[in-house]
Amino acid sequence: MAPAIGASFHRGIPEFSDLMLACRHHAALTFVVGSVFAATLAMAAWAWIRPNYHAEALVRVREKQNVVFAPQTSRAEDIAFFRSQAALVRSHQVLSAAFDDDEVQQLTDVIPDGNRVEWLDGLLRVETQSGSEVISITVHHETPLVAQAFCNAITRAYLDEITHRISSDRKLREAQLEQAVVAADMQLDKLWEDLNSVARSVGSDSAESLTIRDELQFQSYRDYAQQLQAAQLRGSQLQSQLDELQASHGEQPTVSDDVVEKLLRQNREVSTGRKQLMGLELQCQQMEKIAASADSPQMRRLTDQRDRFAEELEQLIQRTRADISETLLIQAQSEHQQLFAKLKQQIELNRSEKEFLRERLTELNSVVARAAPKTAVPLDMSRHAVDRQSRLADGLWKTLQEFRIEGQSQPRVALQSLATLPTQANHSRQLRAAAASGAGGWMLIMFAVGYLEWRDCRVRSPRDLVSRSRFPVFGTNSYAATQSKFGFGLRQKQMSGGVREAVARVFLRNQDAADSVTLMVTSCVANEPRQLVSQEMAVLLGSFHRRVLLIDCDTDRGQLSHALGASRSRGIRQLPVGNQAPAVETIAEVLVATNQTEVDFMPIGTIDDDQTWIDPRTLRHVIGVLRPRYDAIVVNGPSLMGSAEGALLAEEVDSSVFAVFVDDSRWNQLVLCEESARQSGITLSGSIVYSGTGKSGLRLDPDRSTTAATSSPASDDTENETALRLEIDALQDELRRVRTDGESQAAPPNSDSMATQIEDVTPS
């Protein structure tokens, strides 16, 4: 029994989709509880999370420095300077300096212990706007005064830091320029001394000894020196162009919309299509001017042709624009690569040129140095060196003066506005938290309801029984026919398809049998209304003109007697208990007629102090005495799991059926009951799927006499014949019991065929 029941009780973890689908059986409960729980969580999250106040300060940072003479930085350096300011605002130096502000010193109670810089960095947000050259510094906090104080403190700390850095860099550059100027002046003074010494050594009378060779060498030296200076200047310019090209290489090339539109207008197909579209528009306008109806065939044809041609022209324009944009992008990338390669080639050529010129200058310098000291070449060389050093010193002095003048210009970083006290709170975090909490509450409730429904093992459809039960299930087709196509909607209040199928297969197939068929309707637990199935089964058999006796043996609740209004009437409990069968007249005293002519009812009876349950022998004697007088005996028995005598009473009838109620019964309990009945040797005919709470229409009719039921077909026989008939009935009961015991010991009952289950109840 463990494998069969273990598969029912110990199932694996369900998938989330299964739990969501299981909630449809409790849609109202899920909606109400989910809404209340989600609303509660949302309100709790809204109340627990406090709103934030945002304080914002604005600082302007110029990308290009204002200059009077000449720019000292490139475009790439200016862009890098602007982009680095956001990182400088969030730097450790600025955030640490913000805590030393006077306004922040008064708010020491709101600063948490631990790493203060990380806490302040979590409250800070810095946004840059390159087009407007504005940096937005925003601080959010639950208290508006704290947000304003920290925002202003960070802004002032950043301004102090950037001012200090710019001032330090300027002072360092000025000091370096001053050192270079002083060194150039000292070198110039030294060269002047050399020139004077050379002039004194050469003398004025040696000018006539100059030769053409020395003059040519000196001229060559001067030309090479000028070429080397020009080459060095050109190399610096090429290197600057290469740096700017590399800086702009990372940016995505863009295509001008004006260029695309100009090329698009020059496209032959587009221009032709636009002319044709204008012609169609002109025709439509002319047709409208002549008062043509808009519903006329010609006007409709022109309009449709114009719309279709406009759509095709629009598609052509989009396709052509995409091709032109792609072609221009490819051309721009190709030009960029060609320019990059050309600059590299020019830089290599410039490097080779400078090396060649230096080599030539070295050779000429050595030749001049070896020349006779009495020539004028050393004098001219000294003069040339003095001239070069003088120009260098003058350039350094000019640069130093320009740098000092530029230092007096407007700074690149300027404060636009400090943060004001925020008056309106930002509830975005509260809204997100409330939405997340509400969604989480909904999901949790849906998960809980779905898990309870999945674990509850409720019978929701006949496939829950067909896939797990070992016995036939009556009412599968009729149940499926009464359901909505999509699984939702209203079900029929009454459904007798399962009861009809059970009656047809259990009772009506044995209509040729010499003896009547007895059947007990039971269930798994006591709270299932199996009396509905018993009443409907009795009414259906009566409609087929079968004499039916309905016996209430439901010791769990006695709902059948209460429903028919016979809860205080004498019944089967009041019959004598013993090995001797009671007389027919004694049994007839407790029978009650109903409004159905063919149906009689035996109540359960009142509860006595000495007897609260039904003796199985009493039911056996009643069935044995009344079997010849009825075509079918339906026993509304107790549940197998809720009553101790359920299994005992089930052994006194030919077979038993389980009444399974949709949305009420549980299939795991049914599996357990079937396994217990199989081990106990109880004959089962299957399960009846029943849904709805409809009334069968069965009522008691005390005015109608039950003598017809109690009168025997052989009432006019002699006493010997009556005794002989009772003895034959007893022998048939004994033979049936022996046959049933033998078959149950030989093999368990098979659920494949209903005929094999009821064959043993047919008298020989």
Side-chain angles (χ1 to χ4, degrees):
M1 182 173 65
I5 303 175
S8 302
F9 284 100
H10 305 288
R11 295 185 290 171
I13 299 177
E15 296 183 358
F16 189 73
S17 59
D18 297 337
L19 299 181
M20 295 298 102
L21 292 176
C23 292
R24 71 183 188 274
H25 302 297
H26 306 284
L29 175 65
T30 305
F31 178 77
V32 174
V33 178
S35 300
V36 173
F37 189 69
T40 303
L41 288 181
M43 289 187 293
W46 183 275
W48 182 61
I49 298 177
R50 298 181 60 185
N52 283 333
Y53 290 87
H54 290 229
E56 182 181 16
L58 301 178
V59 178
R60 181 180 180 183
V61 180
R62 293 182 175 87
E63 291 186 359
K64 295 182 179 180
Q65 186 177 7
N66 293 335
V67 294
V68 178
F69 301 100
Q72 300 177 357
T73 55
S74 62
R75 181 174 179 271
E77 292 175 344
D78 293 336
I79 295 176
F81 174 80
F82 178 78
R83 292 178 178 176
S84 63
Q85 299 312 300
L88 180 60
V89 175
R90 307 185 75 101
S91 63
H92 190 276
Q93 295 88 344
V94 174
L95 297 182
S96 299
F99 288 99
D100 299 332
D101 192 80
D102 295 337
E103 294 185 16
V104 176
Q105 291 294 330
Q106 302 175 3
L107 303 174
T108 55
D109 53 339
V110 300
I111 301 175
D113 299 334
N115 195 339
R116 303 183 303 170
V117 175
E118 290 186 1
W119 171 77
L120 184 57
D121 185 68
L123 304 179
L124 177 63
R125 185 176 74 248
V126 182
E127 296 179 354
T128 59
Q129 302 175 8
S130 59
S132 59
E133 299 180 344
V134 174
I135 295 180
S136 173
I137 303 175
T138 307
V139 175
H140 65 86
H141 196 267
E142 298 174 355
T143 306
L145 184 61
V146 175
Q148 180 192 14
F150 276 102
C151 183
N152 293 335
I154 293 174
T155 304
R156 286 190 287 266
Y158 162 69
L159 292 175
D160 294 341
E161 179 68 20
I162 191 62
T163 303
H164 174 71
R165 290 194 180 193
I166 293 177
S167 177
S168 299
D169 295 342
R170 188 175 297 278
K171 290 180 180 179
L172 179 61
R173 179 65 182 276
E174 185 176 355
Q176 292 176 352
L177 283 176
E178 289 180 355
Q179 293 177 2
V181 168
V182 173
D185 289 342
M186 293 176 63
Q187 184 69 21
L188 182 60
D189 294 340
K190 183 179 179 181
L191 290 176
W192 273 110
E193 293 178 359
D194 295 340
L195 177 62
N196 294 330
S197 62
V198 171
R200 287 191 298 268
S201 63
V202 171
S204 59
D205 56 347
S206 299
E208 298 177 356
S209 63
L210 291 176
T211 60
I212 298 176
R213 179 182 176 185
D214 294 336
E215 183 67 23
L216 291 176
Q217 289 179 350
F218 176 73
Q219 185 66 28
S220 299
Y221 184 87
R222 185 168 55 188
D223 294 337
Y224 283 138
Q226 293 177 357
Q227 292 178 9
L228 179 60
Q229 184 178 4
Q232 290 177 348
L233 180 60
R234 188 167 58 256
S236 300
Q237 293 176 354
L238 291 175
Q239 186 64 36
S240 177
Q241 292 178 5
L242 181 62
D243 294 338
E244 292 183 0
L245 190 61
Q246 289 178 350
S248 62
H249 179 65
E251 300 179 357
Q252 184 70 21
T254 58
V255 180
S256 177
D257 295 337
D258 297 336
V259 177
V260 174
E261 292 296 333
K262 182 178 179 180
L263 294 177
L264 190 63
R265 288 193 298 270
Q266 294 176 0
N267 187 273
R268 180 179 299 175
E269 296 181 0
V270 174
S271 60
T272 304
R274 288 179 175 174
K275 290 180 180 179
Q276 294 179 0
L277 181 60
M278 291 177 60
L280 291 176
E281 289 285 350
L282 184 59
Q283 292 181 10
C284 291
Q285 293 177 3
Q286 292 177 355
M287 291 292 291
E288 291 177 355
K289 288 181 179 180
I290 63 175
S293 176
D295 298 332
S296 62
Q298 186 176 4
M299 190 67 184
R300 191 182 303 110
R301 179 178 57 81
L302 284 175
T303 306
D304 295 342
Q305 185 178 1
R306 181 194 60 187
D307 296 340
R308 183 172 63 257
F309 196 81
E311 293 179 359
E312 294 176 357
L313 179 60
E314 183 65 24
Q315 295 176 1
L316 177 61
I317 290 174
Q318 295 295 335
R319 185 167 58 253
T320 307
R321 180 181 287 109
D323 296 340
I324 291 174
S325 300
E326 184 177 0
T327 303
L328 291 177
L329 286 176
I330 294 175
Q331 291 178 359
Q333 294 177 356
S334 177
E335 292 176 358
H336 188 276
Q337 293 177 358
Q338 291 177 2
L339 182 59
F340 193 81
K342 184 178 180 180
L343 282 176
K344 283 189 174 180
Q345 185 178 4
Q346 291 179 358
I347 290 174
E348 292 294 332
L349 293 175
N350 181 261
R351 186 182 295 110
S352 302
E353 182 182 0
K354 289 188 291 185
E355 291 178 357
F356 172 76
L357 292 174
R358 289 191 184 96
E359 292 177 357
R360 296 301 298 165
L361 287 175
T362 304
E363 293 177 359
L364 291 174
N365 193 16
S366 61
V367 171
V368 173
R370 291 194 300 270
K374 296 298 182 179
T375 63
V377 173
L379 181 61
D380 291 340
M381 293 294 296
S382 299
R383 289 176 179 174
H384 180 67
V386 170
D387 184 57
R388 289 183 60 189
Q389 188 65 27
S390 177
R391 287 197 300 268
L392 176 61
D394 293 341
L396 289 175
W397 273 106
K398 180 181 179 181
T399 303
L400 178 60
Q401 295 301 325
E402 290 178 356
F403 186 78
R404 288 176 177 175
I405 294 174
E406 296 292 351
Q408 305 299 324
S409 62
Q410 189 177 3
R412 299 183 67 177
V413 180
L415 176 65
Q416 281 193 336
S417 64
L418 288 175
T420 59
L421 186 66
T423 57
Q424 294 182 354
N426 189 350
H427 300 280
S428 60
R429 190 173 63 166
Q430 287 180 298
L431 291 175
R432 290 194 299 268
S437 301
W442 259 103
M443 297 298 293
L444 183 61
I445 292 300
M446 293 179 69
F447 178 82
V449 174
Y451 184 78
L452 292 177
E453 168 63 23
W454 182 82
R455 267 298 190 208
D456 204 24
C457 299
R458 295 279 181 180
V459 176
R460 300 296 183 184
S461 61
R463 61 176 176 272
D464 294 335
L465 302 179
V466 175
S467 59
R468 298 175 176 90
S469 177
R470 296 185 177 183
F471 297 93
V473 180
F474 305 114
T476 57
N477 295 331
S478 60
Y479 179 80
T482 59
Q483 302 307 301
S484 176
K485 181 182 295 184
F486 300 100
F488 299 95
L490 300 176
R491 299 189 180 97
Q492 293 183 2
K493 294 300 182 182
Q494 298 184 7
M495 178 171 41
S496 59
V499 180
R500 287 178 178 273
E501 186 178 353
V503 168
R505 297 184 62 180
V506 176
F507 291 98
L508 300 183
R509 281 188 178 181
N510 296 328
Q511 58 184 354
D512 297 334
D515 209 350
S516 61
V517 178
T518 59
L519 180 70
M520 187 176 79
V521 179
T522 182
S523 62
C524 298
V525 293
N527 58 352
E528 294 175 302
R530 52 192 172 275
Q531 72 275 1
L532 300 177
V533 178
S534 302
Q535 294 181 66
E536 191 166 352
M537 188 175 292
V539 171
L540 285 174
L541 287 172
S543 64
F544 280 100
H545 303 288
R546 300 294 192 275
R547 293 291 301 160
V548 184
L549 175 61
L550 180 60
I551 304 176
D552 186 11
C553 294
D554 186 5
T555 57
D556 291 335
R557 304 172 67 184
Q559 291 293 329
L560 182 58
S561 298
H562 282 282
L564 297 180
S567 58
R568 297 183 180 181
S569 303
R570 298 178 69 252
I572 191 172
R573 282 175 175 166
Q574 278 66 48
L575 294 178
V577 180
N579 295 326
Q580 187 66 28
V584 178
E585 292 77 7
T586 304
I587 298 176
E589 292 178 357
V590 298
L591 293 179
V592 182
T594 64
N595 59 340
Q596 301 291 332
T597 308
E598 306 294 336
V599 180
D600 292 334
F601 175 63
M602 179 179 290
I604 190 172
T606 57
I607 299 177
D608 298 335
D609 295 337
D610 56 345
Q611 183 179 1
T612 59
W613 67 300
I614 299 175
D615 195 326
R617 293 177 298 178
T618 303
L619 180 61
R620 184 192 313 161
H621 296 327
V622 170
I623 293 175
V625 172
L626 299 182
R627 183 187 292 268
R629 295 166 176 81
Y630 290 94
D631 298 323
I633 298 177
V634 179
V635 179
N636 183 52
S639 60
L640 290 185
M641 296 179 63
S643 177
E645 61 267 33
L648 299 177
L649 297 178
E651 293 180 354
E652 305 301 331
V653 296
D654 297 338
S655 62
S656 301
V657 292
F658 284 101
V660 180
F661 298 88
V662 179
D663 299 334
D664 189 12
S665 302
R666 299 178 181 176
W667 54 261
N668 57 351
Q669 296 176 350
L670 181 65
V671 173
L672 180 61
C673 291
E674 289 180 354
E675 188 67 20
S676 301
R678 188 183 65 83
Q679 293 182 356
S680 302
I682 299 175
T683 304
L684 295 178
S685 296
S687 304
I688 299 176
V689 180
Y690 192 89
S691 177
T693 57
K695 298 181 180 180
S696 62
L698 186 64
R699 299 187 307 275
L700 297 182
D701 189 6
D703 297 335
R704 187 174 65 84
S705 175
T706 60
T707 55
T710 58
S711 62
S712 173
S715 59
D716 296 335
D717 295 344
T718 60
E719 295 181 358
N720 293 334
E721 292 177 351
T722 303
L724 182 60
R725 184 178 297 278
L726 294 176
E727 185 176 356
I728 291 174
D729 293 340
L731 289 175
Q732 288 179 351
D733 294 340
E734 186 67 24
L735 180 61
R736 187 183 304 105
R737 187 178 297 105
V738 171
R739 183 182 302 173
T740 304
D741 294 340
E743 291 180 357
S744 62
Q745 294 177 1
N750 189 9
S751 63
D752 295 337
S753 176
M754 181 59 66
T756 58
Q757 296 181 9
I758 61 175
E759 183 181 0
D760 55 352
V761 302
T762 304
S764 60

